[in-house]
Amino acid sequence: MEKLETLRQEGIAKIEACTSTKELQDVRVLYLGKKGPIQEVMKMMKDLSPEEKPKFGQQVNEIKQLLASKIEEKKVILEEKEVNEKLINEKIDITLSGLKPNLGNLHPLIMVQQELEDLFIGLGYEIAEGPEVELDLYNFERANIPKGHPARDMQDTFYIDADRLLRTHTTAVQMRVLEEKAPSLPIKVVCPGKVYRRDDDDATHSHQFTQLEGLVVGEKIRLSDLKGTLELVAKKMFGDDKKIRFRPSYFQFTEPSVEVDVSCHICGGKGCPTCKGTGWIEILGAGMVHPNVLSMAGYDPKTASGFAFGIGMERVALLKYGIDDIRHLYANDVRFLKTFSRFE
Ligand code: DAH
Protein backbone atom coordinates (compact mmCIF):
# COMPACT_ATOMS: atom_id res chain seq x y z
CA MET A 1 0.00 0.00 0.00
CA GLU A 2 2.90 2.27 0.77
CA LYS A 3 4.36 1.58 -2.63
CA LEU A 4 1.05 2.45 -4.23
CA GLU A 5 0.93 5.73 -2.38
CA THR A 6 4.44 6.70 -3.56
CA LEU A 7 3.46 5.69 -7.08
CA ARG A 8 0.42 7.95 -6.91
CA GLN A 9 2.36 10.89 -5.54
CA GLU A 10 5.22 10.49 -7.98
CA GLY A 11 2.78 10.26 -10.87
CA ILE A 12 0.92 13.42 -9.85
CA ALA A 13 4.23 15.25 -9.30
CA LYS A 14 5.50 14.24 -12.74
CA ILE A 15 2.28 15.40 -14.40
CA GLU A 16 2.42 18.71 -12.53
CA ALA A 17 6.05 19.22 -13.54
CA CYS A 18 5.29 18.92 -17.28
CA THR A 19 5.83 22.17 -19.16
CA SER A 20 4.81 21.03 -22.65
CA THR A 21 2.30 18.69 -24.27
CA LYS A 22 5.25 16.69 -25.53
CA GLU A 23 6.56 16.06 -22.01
CA LEU A 24 3.05 15.23 -20.91
CA GLN A 25 2.74 12.68 -23.68
CA ASP A 26 5.94 10.98 -22.39
CA VAL A 27 4.47 10.82 -18.90
CA ARG A 28 1.24 9.33 -20.29
CA VAL A 29 3.17 6.62 -22.13
CA LEU A 30 5.16 5.88 -18.96
CA TYR A 31 2.19 5.54 -16.60
CA LEU A 32 -0.59 4.31 -18.84
CA GLY A 33 1.46 2.33 -21.36
CA LYS A 34 2.59 -1.29 -21.29
CA LYS A 35 5.88 -0.80 -19.49
CA GLY A 36 6.25 1.44 -16.50
CA PRO A 37 6.02 1.82 -12.71
CA ILE A 38 2.36 0.72 -12.61
CA GLN A 39 3.16 -2.43 -14.50
CA GLU A 40 6.06 -3.00 -12.08
CA VAL A 41 3.77 -2.71 -9.05
CA MET A 42 1.29 -5.15 -10.65
CA LYS A 43 3.98 -7.81 -10.53
CA MET A 44 3.73 -7.70 -6.72
CA MET A 45 0.14 -9.06 -6.98
CA LYS A 46 1.27 -12.64 -7.14
CA ASP A 47 2.85 -12.41 -3.65
CA LEU A 48 -0.39 -11.21 -2.06
CA SER A 49 -2.99 -13.28 -0.28
CA PRO A 50 -6.27 -13.93 -2.17
CA GLU A 51 -8.14 -11.49 0.13
CA GLU A 52 -5.65 -8.69 -0.49
CA LYS A 53 -5.56 -9.13 -4.25
CA PRO A 54 -8.90 -7.51 -5.23
CA LYS A 55 -8.30 -4.54 -2.97
CA PHE A 56 -4.84 -4.07 -4.39
CA GLY A 57 -6.12 -4.36 -7.96
CA GLN A 58 -8.84 -1.84 -7.27
CA GLN A 59 -6.31 0.60 -5.81
CA VAL A 60 -4.07 0.28 -8.84
CA ASN A 61 -7.03 0.94 -11.13
CA GLU A 62 -8.02 3.99 -9.14
CA ILE A 63 -4.50 5.35 -9.40
CA LYS A 64 -4.53 4.72 -13.13
CA GLN A 65 -7.85 6.55 -13.52
CA LEU A 66 -6.69 9.38 -11.33
CA LEU A 67 -3.49 9.82 -13.31
CA ALA A 68 -5.41 9.61 -16.59
CA SER A 69 -7.79 12.36 -15.55
CA LYS A 70 -4.93 14.49 -14.18
CA ILE A 71 -3.17 14.09 -17.52
CA GLU A 72 -6.33 15.24 -19.35
CA GLU A 73 -6.65 18.30 -17.11
CA LYS A 74 -3.01 19.16 -17.57
CA LYS A 75 -3.30 18.66 -21.30
CA VAL A 76 -6.03 21.29 -21.58
CA ILE A 77 -3.89 23.76 -19.63
CA LEU A 78 -0.73 23.07 -21.61
CA GLU A 79 -2.49 23.23 -24.96
CA GLU A 80 -3.95 26.59 -24.14
CA LYS A 81 -0.56 27.83 -22.98
CA GLU A 82 1.08 26.64 -26.19
CA VAL A 83 -1.55 28.27 -28.42
CA ASN A 84 -1.09 31.54 -26.55
CA GLU A 85 2.67 31.35 -26.92
CA LYS A 86 2.29 30.67 -30.62
CA LEU A 87 -0.04 33.63 -31.01
CA ILE A 88 2.47 35.90 -29.35
CA ASN A 89 5.48 34.57 -31.25
CA GLU A 90 3.83 34.60 -34.63
CA LYS A 91 2.14 37.94 -34.21
CA ILE A 92 2.43 40.23 -37.23
CA ASP A 93 2.46 43.91 -36.51
CA ILE A 94 0.18 45.21 -39.22
CA THR A 95 0.73 48.77 -38.06
CA LEU A 96 4.29 48.69 -39.42
CA SER A 97 4.62 50.49 -42.71
CA GLY A 98 5.17 47.97 -45.53
CA LEU A 99 7.78 47.94 -48.25
CA LYS A 100 6.38 49.91 -51.16
CA PRO A 101 6.89 47.97 -54.39
CA ASN A 102 8.71 49.99 -56.98
CA LEU A 103 6.03 50.21 -59.64
CA GLY A 104 6.80 51.38 -63.11
CA ASN A 105 4.59 53.61 -65.22
CA LEU A 106 3.73 53.86 -68.86
CA HIS A 107 6.22 55.39 -71.26
CA PRO A 108 4.94 58.71 -72.70
CA LEU A 109 4.96 57.25 -76.21
CA ILE A 110 2.85 54.31 -75.07
CA MET A 111 0.43 56.75 -73.42
CA VAL A 112 0.06 58.65 -76.70
CA GLN A 113 -0.38 55.41 -78.62
CA GLN A 114 -3.01 54.09 -76.20
CA GLU A 115 -4.94 57.37 -76.23
CA LEU A 116 -5.03 57.39 -80.03
CA GLU A 117 -5.95 53.72 -80.21
CA ASP A 118 -8.76 54.24 -77.69
CA LEU A 119 -10.13 57.10 -79.75
CA PHE A 120 -10.10 55.11 -82.99
CA ILE A 121 -11.42 51.90 -81.48
CA GLY A 122 -14.29 54.05 -80.15
CA LEU A 123 -14.90 55.19 -83.73
CA GLY A 124 -15.11 51.58 -84.94
CA TYR A 125 -11.59 51.22 -86.34
CA GLU A 126 -9.50 48.07 -86.12
CA ILE A 127 -5.80 47.95 -85.27
CA ALA A 128 -3.51 46.50 -87.93
CA GLU A 129 0.19 45.74 -87.72
CA GLY A 130 2.89 44.88 -90.21
CA PRO A 131 6.58 43.91 -90.27
CA GLU A 132 9.34 46.41 -89.53
CA VAL A 133 11.60 44.67 -92.04
CA GLU A 134 9.44 45.39 -95.06
CA LEU A 135 9.43 44.72 -98.76
CA ASP A 136 10.26 47.60 -101.08
CA LEU A 137 6.99 46.60 -102.73
CA TYR A 138 4.78 47.75 -99.83
CA ASN A 139 6.95 50.58 -98.55
CA PHE A 140 7.41 52.27 -101.95
CA GLU A 141 6.03 50.59 -105.09
CA ARG A 142 2.44 50.19 -103.89
CA ALA A 143 2.58 53.65 -102.37
CA ASN A 144 2.99 54.97 -105.89
CA ILE A 145 6.72 55.58 -105.47
CA PRO A 146 8.40 53.51 -108.22
CA LYS A 147 12.11 52.73 -108.31
CA GLY A 148 14.18 55.75 -109.30
CA HIS A 149 11.46 58.20 -108.22
CA PRO A 150 13.05 61.25 -106.57
CA ALA A 151 10.48 61.04 -103.74
CA ARG A 152 12.42 58.03 -102.42
CA ASP A 153 15.20 60.41 -101.42
CA MET A 154 12.83 62.20 -99.02
CA GLN A 155 12.89 59.08 -96.90
CA ASP A 156 16.53 58.08 -96.65
CA THR A 157 16.25 54.36 -96.23
CA PHE A 158 18.08 51.56 -94.42
CA TYR A 159 18.18 48.81 -97.04
CA ILE A 160 18.64 45.15 -96.08
CA ASP A 161 19.07 44.10 -99.72
CA ALA A 162 17.64 45.17 -103.08
CA ASP A 163 14.09 44.15 -102.11
CA ARG A 164 13.98 44.56 -98.37
CA LEU A 165 14.37 47.52 -96.08
CA LEU A 166 13.45 48.87 -92.64
CA ARG A 167 10.07 50.45 -93.31
CA THR A 168 10.30 54.23 -93.55
CA HIS A 169 6.63 54.82 -92.77
CA THR A 170 3.58 52.92 -91.54
CA THR A 171 2.06 53.67 -94.94
CA ALA A 172 3.55 50.25 -95.80
CA VAL A 173 0.98 48.65 -93.46
CA GLN A 174 -1.75 50.61 -95.22
CA MET A 175 -0.65 48.99 -98.50
CA ARG A 176 -0.73 45.52 -96.96
CA VAL A 177 -4.22 46.08 -95.52
CA LEU A 178 -5.50 47.32 -98.89
CA GLU A 179 -4.13 44.26 -100.66
CA GLU A 180 -5.49 41.89 -98.03
CA LYS A 181 -9.00 43.38 -97.95
CA ALA A 182 -9.50 44.12 -101.66
CA PRO A 183 -12.08 44.23 -103.11
CA SER A 184 -14.25 44.30 -99.95
CA LEU A 185 -15.43 47.52 -98.39
CA PRO A 186 -15.32 49.34 -96.04
CA ILE A 187 -11.89 49.48 -94.44
CA LYS A 188 -11.28 51.35 -91.18
CA VAL A 189 -7.90 50.69 -89.61
CA VAL A 190 -5.14 52.38 -87.66
CA CYS A 191 -1.62 50.99 -87.80
CA PRO A 192 0.78 51.99 -85.02
CA GLY A 193 4.43 51.06 -85.19
CA LYS A 194 8.11 51.86 -85.42
CA VAL A 195 9.65 53.30 -88.57
CA TYR A 196 13.28 53.96 -89.54
CA ARG A 197 15.09 56.59 -91.55
CA ARG A 198 18.73 57.40 -92.13
CA ASP A 199 18.62 60.67 -90.21
CA ASP A 200 21.27 62.15 -87.95
CA ASP A 201 19.85 62.15 -84.45
CA ASP A 202 19.29 65.57 -82.88
CA ALA A 203 16.67 67.27 -80.70
CA THR A 204 13.94 66.82 -83.31
CA HIS A 205 15.15 63.89 -85.44
CA SER A 206 15.66 60.23 -84.69
CA HIS A 207 16.69 57.36 -86.98
CA GLN A 208 13.89 55.35 -85.37
CA PHE A 209 10.53 56.81 -84.46
CA THR A 210 6.87 55.85 -84.18
CA GLN A 211 3.95 56.56 -86.44
CA LEU A 212 0.26 55.87 -86.40
CA GLU A 213 -1.25 55.41 -89.81
CA GLY A 214 -4.96 55.76 -90.42
CA LEU A 215 -6.88 54.41 -93.40
CA VAL A 216 -10.56 54.55 -94.30
CA VAL A 217 -11.85 53.26 -97.62
CA GLY A 218 -15.51 53.10 -98.57
CA GLU A 219 -17.97 54.08 -101.19
CA LYS A 220 -18.31 57.80 -100.73
CA ILE A 221 -15.47 58.83 -98.45
CA ARG A 222 -14.64 62.51 -98.81
CA LEU A 223 -12.07 65.03 -97.68
CA SER A 224 -14.61 66.42 -95.21
CA ASP A 225 -14.70 62.99 -93.49
CA LEU A 226 -10.94 63.23 -93.05
CA LYS A 227 -11.29 66.72 -91.62
CA GLY A 228 -13.96 65.68 -89.12
CA THR A 229 -11.89 62.71 -88.00
CA LEU A 230 -8.71 64.72 -87.53
CA GLU A 231 -10.61 67.39 -85.62
CA LEU A 232 -11.48 64.68 -83.10
CA VAL A 233 -7.83 63.63 -82.91
CA ALA A 234 -6.70 67.19 -82.21
CA LYS A 235 -9.32 67.66 -79.50
CA LYS A 236 -8.55 64.34 -77.85
CA MET A 237 -4.80 64.90 -77.83
CA PHE A 238 -4.58 68.62 -77.13
CA GLY A 239 -7.92 69.74 -75.67
CA ASP A 240 -11.53 70.40 -76.66
CA ASP A 241 -11.00 73.99 -77.74
CA LYS A 242 -8.48 73.06 -80.44
CA LYS A 243 -8.98 73.82 -84.12
CA ILE A 244 -7.27 72.33 -87.12
CA ARG A 245 -6.37 73.65 -90.54
CA PHE A 246 -5.38 71.97 -93.78
CA ARG A 247 -2.49 73.22 -95.89
CA PRO A 248 -1.96 71.86 -99.40
CA SER A 249 0.94 69.46 -99.59
CA TYR A 250 2.30 66.60 -101.65
CA PHE A 251 2.53 62.88 -100.96
CA GLN A 252 2.79 60.32 -103.75
CA PHE A 253 0.14 58.08 -102.24
CA THR A 254 -2.57 60.71 -101.76
CA GLU A 255 -4.32 63.18 -104.03
CA PRO A 256 -5.08 65.79 -102.90
CA SER A 257 -2.57 65.81 -100.05
CA VAL A 258 -2.61 68.03 -97.01
CA GLU A 259 -0.51 68.87 -94.04
CA VAL A 260 -2.52 69.36 -90.89
CA ASP A 261 -1.87 71.97 -88.25
CA VAL A 262 -3.50 72.21 -84.84
CA SER A 263 -3.98 75.51 -83.03
CA CYS A 264 -1.14 76.01 -80.54
CA HIS A 265 -1.96 74.53 -77.13
CA ILE A 266 0.55 76.80 -75.38
CA CYS A 267 -0.55 80.27 -76.56
CA GLY A 268 -4.02 79.36 -77.85
CA GLY A 269 -3.19 80.77 -81.29
CA LYS A 270 -1.67 84.15 -80.40
CA GLY A 271 1.86 83.11 -81.29
CA CYS A 272 4.67 81.88 -79.03
CA PRO A 273 8.09 80.17 -79.32
CA THR A 274 6.51 76.67 -79.42
CA CYS A 275 4.50 77.53 -82.55
CA LYS A 276 7.27 79.83 -83.84
CA GLY A 277 4.92 82.80 -83.65
CA THR A 278 2.36 81.36 -86.09
CA GLY A 279 -0.30 80.12 -83.65
CA TRP A 280 -0.31 76.75 -85.46
CA ILE A 281 1.63 73.53 -85.01
CA GLU A 282 2.03 70.91 -87.73
CA ILE A 283 1.07 67.46 -86.51
CA LEU A 284 0.52 65.16 -89.45
CA GLY A 285 0.30 64.43 -93.16
CA ALA A 286 -2.86 63.20 -94.82
CA GLY A 287 -4.92 63.09 -97.98
CA MET A 288 -7.33 61.16 -100.19
CA VAL A 289 -5.93 57.77 -101.18
CA HIS A 290 -4.43 58.09 -104.68
CA PRO A 291 -6.40 56.24 -107.40
CA ASN A 292 -3.18 54.45 -108.45
CA VAL A 293 -2.78 53.09 -104.92
CA LEU A 294 -6.37 51.83 -104.92
CA SER A 295 -6.11 50.14 -108.30
CA MET A 296 -2.69 48.57 -107.60
CA ALA A 297 -4.22 46.97 -104.50
CA GLY A 298 -7.24 45.64 -106.42
CA TYR A 299 -9.91 48.33 -105.92
CA ASP A 300 -11.79 50.22 -108.60
CA PRO A 301 -11.08 53.91 -107.94
CA LYS A 302 -14.36 54.79 -109.63
CA THR A 303 -16.38 53.16 -106.88
CA ALA A 304 -13.99 53.11 -103.92
CA SER A 305 -12.48 56.17 -102.31
CA GLY A 306 -10.70 56.75 -99.06
CA PHE A 307 -8.63 58.96 -96.84
CA ALA A 308 -5.38 58.27 -95.06
CA PHE A 309 -3.19 60.03 -92.56
CA GLY A 310 0.10 59.48 -90.76
CA ILE A 311 0.81 60.87 -87.31
CA GLY A 312 4.28 61.09 -85.79
CA MET A 313 3.69 59.94 -82.22
CA GLU A 314 6.92 61.42 -80.87
CA ARG A 315 5.83 64.81 -82.14
CA VAL A 316 2.52 64.50 -80.34
CA ALA A 317 4.30 63.39 -77.14
CA LEU A 318 6.80 66.28 -77.28
CA LEU A 319 4.04 68.83 -77.76
CA LYS A 320 1.58 67.33 -75.32
CA TYR A 321 4.03 66.87 -72.46
CA GLY A 322 6.34 69.81 -73.21
CA ILE A 323 9.42 67.62 -73.82
CA ASP A 324 12.25 69.59 -75.42
CA ASP A 325 14.34 66.83 -76.96
CA ILE A 326 13.14 63.70 -78.79
CA ARG A 327 16.18 61.79 -77.50
CA HIS A 328 14.74 61.84 -73.97
CA LEU A 329 12.13 59.40 -75.23
CA TYR A 330 14.74 56.74 -76.00
CA ALA A 331 17.37 57.29 -73.30
CA ASN A 332 15.48 55.18 -70.75
CA ASP A 333 16.49 57.48 -67.93
CA VAL A 334 14.21 56.39 -65.10
CA ARG A 335 14.25 59.89 -63.55
CA PHE A 336 12.74 61.28 -66.76
CA LEU A 337 10.28 58.43 -67.24
CA LYS A 338 9.03 58.60 -63.63
CA THR A 339 7.79 62.15 -64.15
CA PHE A 340 5.02 60.77 -66.38
CA SER A 341 3.41 58.69 -63.64
CA ARG A 342 1.20 61.70 -62.90
CA PHE A 343 -0.46 61.50 -66.32
CA GLU A 344 -1.60 57.89 -66.01
N1 DAH B 1 3.88 58.44 -94.80
C1 DAH B 1 4.00 59.87 -94.54
C2 DAH B 1 5.33 60.15 -93.86
O1 DAH B 1 5.88 59.26 -93.28
C3 DAH B 1 2.89 60.34 -93.65
C4 DAH B 1 1.58 60.25 -94.35
C5 DAH B 1 1.12 61.29 -95.13
C6 DAH B 1 0.83 59.10 -94.26
C7 DAH B 1 -0.06 61.22 -95.79
C8 DAH B 1 -0.38 59.02 -94.92
C9 DAH B 1 -0.80 60.09 -95.68
O2 DAH B 1 -1.15 57.96 -94.87
O3 DAH B 1 -2.01 60.00 -96.32
O4 DAH B 1 5.77 61.25 -93.89
Side-chain angles (χ1 to χ4, degrees), residues 1 4 42 45 48-63:
M1 284 303 165
L4 286 181
M42 290 292 271
M45 279 265 252
L48 296 177
S49 65
E51 305 85 67
E52 285 172 326
K53 269 186 190 168
K55 199 155 180 256
F56 185 84
Q58 195 190 344
Q59 288 274 343
V60 172
N61 270 339
E62 272 175 25
I63 292 176

Side-chain angles (χ1 to χ4, degrees), residues 12 43 50 74 89 105 137 140 175 190 202 206 234 242 247 252 276 290 302 317 319 333:
I12 292 174
K43 285 181 193 156
K74 187 72 179 176
N89 291 339
N105 55 278
L137 176 71
F140 288 131
M175 301 312 154
V190 282
D202 62 24
S206 168
K242 296 298 166 300
R247 275 182 294 109
Q252 304 72 37
K276 301 199 181 82
H290 197 290
K302 288 195 196 74
L319 292 166
D333 184 331

Side-chain angles (χ1 to χ4, degrees), residues 70-209:
K70 289 262 174 219
I71 286 171
E72 276 317 300
E73 276 169 32
K74 187 72 179 176
K75 193 171 158 215
V76 173
I77 296 169
L78 286 176
E79 272 175 357
E80 193 180 319
K81 179 178 142 253
E82 282 172 13
V83 167
N84 285 338
E85 276 171 8
K86 223 173 165 188
L87 284 178
I88 289 169
N89 291 339
E90 293 177 5
K91 189 166 89 180
I92 297 170
D93 185 353
I94 54 162
T95 63
L96 276 179
S97 52
L99 290 178
K100 204 172 165 219
N102 195 7
L103 285 183
N105 55 278
L106 292 179
H107 189 282
L109 273 179
I110 298 292
M111 287 197 273
V112 168
Q113 180 172 338
Q114 290 187 347
E115 265 187 66
L116 285 169
E117 286 179 356
D118 279 355
L119 170 71
F120 283 106
I121 287 170
L123 294 173
Y125 284 64
E126 282 170 37
I127 310 242
E129 286 183 328
E132 288 171 32
V133 175
E134 183 54 284
L135 292 173
D136 186 288
L137 176 71
Y138 295 111
N139 197 80
F140 288 131
E141 297 277 336
R142 288 285 176 82
N144 205 25
I145 315 172
K147 287 212 166 59
H149 194 287
R152 289 201 177 207
D153 295 345
M154 278 165 56
Q155 302 190 358
D156 241 343
T157 310
F158 290 111
Y159 278 94
I160 309 279
D161 58 31
D163 302 318
R164 284 177 302 166
L165 43 81
L166 294 184
R167 70 180 176 201
T168 60
H169 52 187
T170 44
T171 307
V173 188
Q174 183 190 143
M175 301 312 154
R176 281 178 177 273
V177 171
L178 281 171
E179 183 187 81
E180 194 187 303
K181 299 261 166 112
S184 70
L185 292 173
I187 296 176
K188 274 173 95 177
V189 288
V190 282
C191 323
K194 293 192 187 90
V195 299
Y196 303 84
R197 290 190 201 172
R198 275 180 47 194
D199 254 334
D200 289 327
D201 292 1
D202 62 24
T204 52
H205 294 84
S206 168
H207 61 282
Q208 179 220 292
F209 57 103

Side-chain angles (χ1 to χ4, degrees), residues 139 143 145 154-155 168-172 174-175 195 197 209 211-215 226 249-259 282 284-290 307-312:
N139 197 80
I145 315 172
M154 278 165 56
Q155 302 190 358
T168 60
H169 52 187
T170 44
T171 307
Q174 183 190 143
M175 301 312 154
V195 299
R197 290 190 201 172
F209 57 103
Q211 288 187 331
L212 181 121
E213 187 86 6
L215 172 68
L226 172 65
S249 184
Y250 176 77
F251 298 105
Q252 304 72 37
F253 31 90
T254 44
E255 180 57 37
S257 303
V258 291
E259 251 156 344
E282 187 198 320
L284 57 91
M288 298 308 289
V289 181
H290 197 290
F307 66 72
F309 56 88
I311 307 177

